[in-house]
Amino acid sequence: VRIMLTGQADTGAVMGAVNDGAVYKFILKPWNDDDLRITVALALEQHDLIEKNRALQNENKKKTKVLAFTSCKGGSGATFLAANLGYVLAAAYGQKVALLDLNMQCGDASLFFSGRAPASTLADVAINIRRLDASFLASSMVQVLPNFGVLAAPKSLEQAAAVKPEHIETLISLAAAHYDFVILDMGRTLDAVSVKALDSADAIFPVLQKTVPFIRGAKWLLDTFQSLGYPREKVCLIVNRCENGGDIRLEDVERGLGMKVFRTIPNSSDVASASVDQGVPVMTLARHDPVTEALAEWGQELAQRTQPKRAGWMKADWLAHLFRRV
């Protein structure tokens, strides 16, 4: 805090002082003790408010998790997992979640919740990036729940061309300041836009299945992430539609890729297909399905890690609590 005692309102001096980033208060001659006392008190109050806001922003930044889902090969189920994990975090654990569909070629994350065409898309946000604030972002989303919104992908490749890396950086930074979780549905294309998004992620989840084509795709992705300088702990393998038996075991996947599988999601193809076809979250469609239970367990772990004060009601019988109305 700096108090400037000045004999005249010198605009140049005032602007030069303000631009150095400090909290300034100005007192013009003639002044008295009361003027000085009141000015100091106001300056200190303003300084305290700024520090509290800064601390809150830092706290929110630490708690927010940016999670990126990407497919090792088409049909992995990455969008299904991203969409349904976001819904579980919001509906079951009270987290504020933003799902950003960054699949520029054929993104369809919003269709997992509604058959209606979205009024606004990522391209509209990019075109109006100078207007972007929390209210504009929320109004551009498909609002699935009061605490869960989906920003749809561009409707065409022509619109997608309007989205630049700097837009993605601004968008994710803003979302991280206002949401507990920011989930990115990445698609499979690696370009400047997608790399900028991956750079911003706290965790990257390559999604594969236990087949040779998926393992080859995963190997290529892991090598690419290594060349980009991402630490190994940032990349977490997800094996979707995982079943016991078969020619390829989970151990074979880990040996072939040189890293442990972070999480497996069981196979429940009929329920998953019905969820996608109807545009209804799997948690709503089939609460006792193994896929729902796996996502609920994952959501619980994430919610407890980032927002313990909201997860205080969670006990060992969390599943019974979650499904108590059934």
Side-chain angles (χ1 to χ4, degrees), residues 65-68 172 184 195-204 234:
K65 287 294 179 183
V66 180
L67 311 178
I172 294 176
L184 314 177
V195 169
K196 179 62 71 174
L198 292 171
D199 288 345
S200 302
D202 296 301
I204 302 172
K234 179 174 178 172

Side-chain angles (χ1 to χ4, degrees), residues 193-252:
V193 170
S194 58
V195 169
K196 179 62 71 174
L198 292 171
D199 288 345
S200 302
D202 296 301
I204 302 172
F205 299 111
V207 180
L208 69 152
Q209 298 176 29
K210 290 195 304 177
T211 68
V212 171
F214 274 105
I215 295 172
R216 286 177 177 168
K219 178 63 175 172
W220 182 86
L221 266 183
L222 294 179
D223 290 344
T224 302
F225 293 155
Q226 183 178 13
S227 70
L228 290 170
Y230 298 152
R232 288 180 65 87
E233 58 270 18
K234 179 174 178 172
V235 181
C236 309
L237 288 176
I238 306 295
V239 175
N240 193 23
R241 299 173 187 167
C242 188
E243 295 179 309
N244 294 327
D247 295 333
I248 299 177
R249 302 170 302 168
L250 203 60
E251 295 84 353
D252 299 325

Side-chain angles (χ1 to χ4, degrees), residues 9-251:
D10 186 337
T11 303
V14 169
M15 292 306 298
V18 172
N19 287 338
D20 76 358
V23 176
Y24 271 89
K25 293 294 179 182
F26 301 91
I27 304 177
L28 297 178
K29 291 181 180 180
W31 63 80
N32 57 45
D33 292 345
D34 288 338
D35 292 335
L36 184 58
R37 189 179 303 108
I38 292 172
T39 302
V40 169
L42 290 174
L44 290 174
E45 183 178 348
Q46 183 180 355
H47 176 267
D48 289 344
L49 181 60
I50 290 173
E51 290 300 313
K52 287 179 181 178
N53 288 337
R54 185 175 295 148
L56 181 60
Q57 290 174 357
N58 290 336
E59 182 182 1
N60 288 340
K61 185 176 181 181
K62 290 177 183 177
K63 289 181 178 179
T64 299
K65 287 294 179 183
V66 180
L67 311 178
F69 285 77
T70 185
S71 298
C72 296
K73 181 183 174 299
S76 69
T79 300
F80 174 85
L81 295 181
N84 280 279
L85 179 62
Y87 187 88
V88 166
L89 282 166
Y93 301 114
Q95 305 297 293
K96 191 175 182 183
V97 182
L99 172 59
L100 311 182
D101 192 345
L102 304 185
N103 187 342
M104 302 297 175
Q105 295 186 348
C106 51
D108 58 0
S110 64
L111 297 180
F112 281 67
F113 307 102
S114 171
R116 294 176 297 175
S120 299
T121 71
L122 173 62
D124 298 307
V125 171
I127 293 170
N128 295 282
I129 198 68
R130 293 184 182 276
R131 292 178 49 204
L132 184 61
D133 58 17
S135 297
F136 180 57
L137 176 58
S139 67
S140 301
M141 288 179 165
V142 175
Q143 209 63 42
V144 181
L145 296 170
N147 57 331
F148 180 34
V150 180
L151 182 61
K155 297 177 181 178
S156 66
L157 287 177
E158 182 181 8
Q159 290 186 2
V163 182
K164 306 300 181 185
E166 56 270 24
H167 299 153
I168 295 299
E169 184 175 25
T170 300
L171 172 61
I172 294 176
S173 177
L174 176 77
H178 293 277
Y179 291 84
D180 298 319
F181 286 91
V182 180
I183 298 179
L184 314 177
D185 183 24
M186 297 300 306
R188 296 193 63 233
T189 303
L190 279 180
D191 54 18
V193 170
S194 58
V195 169
K196 179 62 71 174
L198 292 171
D199 288 345
S200 302
D202 296 301
I204 302 172
F205 299 111
V207 180
L208 69 152
Q209 298 176 29
K210 290 195 304 177
T211 68
V212 171
F214 274 105
I215 295 172
R216 286 177 177 168
K219 178 63 175 172
W220 182 86
L221 266 183
L222 294 179
D223 290 344
T224 302
F225 293 155
Q226 183 178 13
S227 70
L228 290 170
Y230 298 152
R232 288 180 65 87
E233 58 270 18
K234 179 174 178 172
V235 181
C236 309
L237 288 176
I238 306 295
V239 175
N240 193 23
R241 299 173 187 167
C242 188
E243 295 179 309
N244 294 327
D247 295 333
I248 299 177
R249 302 170 302 168
L250 203 60
E251 295 84 353

